Amino acid sequence: MFQTPLPDDPACCLVERLDLSPLGSGPLDGTTFTVKDNIDIARLRTSYGSPAWRDAHPAPVHNAVCVDQLLAAGARCVGKAIADEFTYSLDGENQFLGTPRNAKAPERIPGGSSSGSAASVANGLADFSIGTDSGGSVRVPASLCGIWGMRPSLHRISEAGVLPFMPSVSTVGVLAARFEHLNAAARVMLHSGPKTGVPLRRLLLLTDALEVANKAVQDQVCSALQRISHDVGISLETIHFSKIVSEDIPLSDCNVKALRNLQSAEFESTVGNWIETAKPELGIAFSMAYGNVQRFDRIAAMDSLARCERLFEKINAYLVPGTVICFPTTPVIAPLKGTLTNLDAVLDFYDRTMTITAFSGVARLPEITAPLLTVDDCPVGLSFASGHYQDEFLLEAVGRMLN
């Protein structure tokens, strides 16, 4: 049965402990994983981070396809992980289910909306976890909790049995304590074949994303990339977003004029219809965010759809095979718990973070965040991205650079 986790329990990242045996044998033999609670597991109600949603919907008959893929490859499922309410958040503080423990910075938020997935891995409860990512919901908690995370190319992984959020951008992703587990789990769900054989030729630093970050994060990024560049024997180049897209526009356009508007319109259609008719109890923080959705002019999203397509085409035309582009995963370390309570603090965290995360979102890029940076004894991720559908190349390139 579904139980609300205890706040003082190190396992407070889970809504339920499980022991689902593997359905076969393969590259994930001997590994364990958890599942974000917007992804179906048969005979368990899926909460979507909302007790009201959980209670209003029947338990699924079948697992999500991605869950069956992992079980068939030899992995054991050990829990259902907390998600932010309706996965509409990047902070990881759920009013109803609690705040999963950030193992490497216990006084700070874990990041969301795959908060429980990241925390279950960081707290040693599982080797890896699967979550979902639209505006950064895998990458942000991975960065703030000091673990690996991967957002694959859009729709490379089956979303059958995954609750809808923002179909134009949302994807299933992986979080892991070790690169080997991230690589193995991602390749199972990607149906990866033999290695691509494409060599790493260019290493780019996205300067616009670097400039958004705090100075201490900037210093760590530059230092880490200089080491990596030296180790692989490839010169580090700097690149501005305007050169990539051949337009004099800022990186923030990916969020402000593309992803954010599209998210509002699609969320109204995927979840808003149920909220308006069912009138469920909503958390305070989510209610404030949803108020912005309700006031949104849906017609504005039509231009955002067109803008996303144009940015997708231009960014991917630039990121030819053999190219990896790098940037800080998040511009800051994890904020202290309970500090995202006023508008200025919320806007500073969300606007700066999503200025960076929206880049891969609108371009449908695969992105891997690596736990390479430390600022004030807190982890921060360094991200590596490549062109759309170049997931296997990115995994190979990151493996070469960092292992």
Side-chain angles (χ1 to χ4, degrees):
M1 298 298 291
F2 184 100
Q3 294 181 337
T4 300
L6 299 174
D8 295 328
D9 183 351
C12 68
C13 46
L14 302 181
V15 294
E16 186 156 4
R17 286 184 178 274
L18 301 171
D19 188 13
L20 303 183
S21 298
L23 299 176
S25 182
L28 298 179
D29 284 352
T31 63
T32 57
F33 72 103
T34 62
V35 177
K36 183 178 180 179
D37 203 14
N38 65 335
I39 300 173
D40 285 345
I41 291 180
R43 298 178 294 282
L44 294 177
R45 293 193 179 207
T46 307
S47 80
Y48 215 156
S50 164
W53 178 280
R54 172 201 69 206
D55 295 343
H57 293 82
V61 175
H62 303 288
N63 294 329
V65 169
C66 56
V67 173
D68 278 339
Q69 285 180 286
L70 300 172
L71 294 171
R76 178 179 299 272
C77 181
V78 295
K80 216 38 182 329
I82 287 177
D84 287 3
E85 189 173 2
F86 296 112
T87 70
Y88 201 93
S89 175
L90 288 178
D91 55 55
E93 297 181 287
N94 188 311
Q95 177 178 322
F96 301 109
L97 302 176
T99 301
R101 178 177 179 267
N102 185 334
K104 297 181 181 177
E107 300 304 314
R108 297 179 180 273
I109 63 173
S113 64
S114 302
S115 54
S117 290
S120 66
V121 169
N123 281 287
L125 301 177
D127 295 313
F128 68 93
S129 185
I130 52 173
T132 54
D133 187 300
S134 297
S137 287
V138 161
R139 294 163 287 162
V140 170
S143 175
L144 301 187
C145 289
I147 61 173
W148 294 85
M150 181 177 184
R151 172 204 163 86
S153 293
L154 185 67
H155 303 322
R156 273 295 305 269
I157 295 175
S158 172
E159 292 146 43
V162 180
L163 291 174
F165 178 77
M166 185 185 176
S168 294
V169 179
S170 296
T171 179
V172 174
V174 189
L175 305 98
R178 297 166 54 190
F179 176 75
E180 301 94 289
H181 291 143
L182 179 91
N183 183 43
R187 287 179 177 277
V188 165
M189 292 188 292
L190 290 166
H191 311 284
S192 292
K195 291 187 175 182
T196 65
V198 177
L200 175 63
R201 298 188 182 96
R202 296 186 73 191
L203 192 61
L204 310 178
L205 170 59
L206 183 59
T207 55
D208 313 65
L210 185 68
E211 291 163 359
V212 172
N214 286 357
K215 178 62 165 59
V217 175
Q218 294 179 16
D219 292 343
Q220 288 286 310
V221 168
C222 292
S223 178
L225 287 177
Q226 289 296 340
R227 290 196 304 271
I228 291 168
S229 171
H230 177 269
D231 290 346
V232 297
I234 296 176
S235 297
L236 179 65
E237 306 171 52
T238 58
I239 187 74
H240 285 282
F241 179 70
S242 58
K243 183 175 180 180
I244 293 174
V245 297
S246 301
E247 288 186 63
D248 187 18
I249 58 175
L251 177 64
S252 59
D253 272 17
C254 290
N255 177 37
V256 177
K257 294 186 178 181
L259 188 143
R260 181 185 295 174
N261 291 342
L262 190 56
Q263 175 176 278
S264 294
E266 294 198 338
F267 187 79
E268 280 186 317
S269 296
T270 56
V271 181
N273 285 328
W274 179 79
I275 291 176
E276 297 299 331
T277 55
K279 307 295 183 185
E281 180 184 1
L282 303 175
I284 296 171
F286 173 79
S287 294
M288 295 175 63
Y290 185 61
N292 295 328
V293 172
Q294 290 174 305
R295 292 186 291 272
F296 177 69
D297 176 9
R298 290 175 62 86
I299 301 305
M302 303 305 104
D303 177 66
S304 294
L305 279 165
R307 187 180 296 268
C308 279
E309 193 64 25
R310 188 175 76 250
L311 290 172
F312 163 73
E313 292 173 352
K314 290 188 172 184
I315 292 170
N316 282 282
Y318 194 88
L319 297 180
V320 297
T323 304
V324 170
I325 188 165
C326 316
F327 42 88
T329 310
T330 52
V332 296
I333 61 174
L336 291 167
K337 288 188 287 188
T339 59
L340 297 178
T341 55
N342 64 74
L343 185 59
D344 287 343
V346 170
L347 290 178
D348 180 67
F349 176 69
Y350 274 82
D351 285 355
R352 288 204 290 156
T353 300
M354 293 190 67
T355 291
I356 298 174
T357 60
F359 173 72
S360 291
V362 299
R364 310 168 200 167
L365 307 179
E367 177 184 329
I368 294 173
T369 174
L372 299 183
L373 315 178
T374 303
V375 173
D376 294 334
D377 296 322
C378 295
V380 183
L382 177 58
S383 274
F384 303 85
S386 59
H388 182 59
Y389 262 63
Q390 295 178 31
D391 304 65
E392 287 81 2
F393 158 72
L394 183 62
L395 286 163
E396 292 164 16
V398 169
R400 175 189 169 193
M401 286 188 282
L402 303 180
N403 286 280

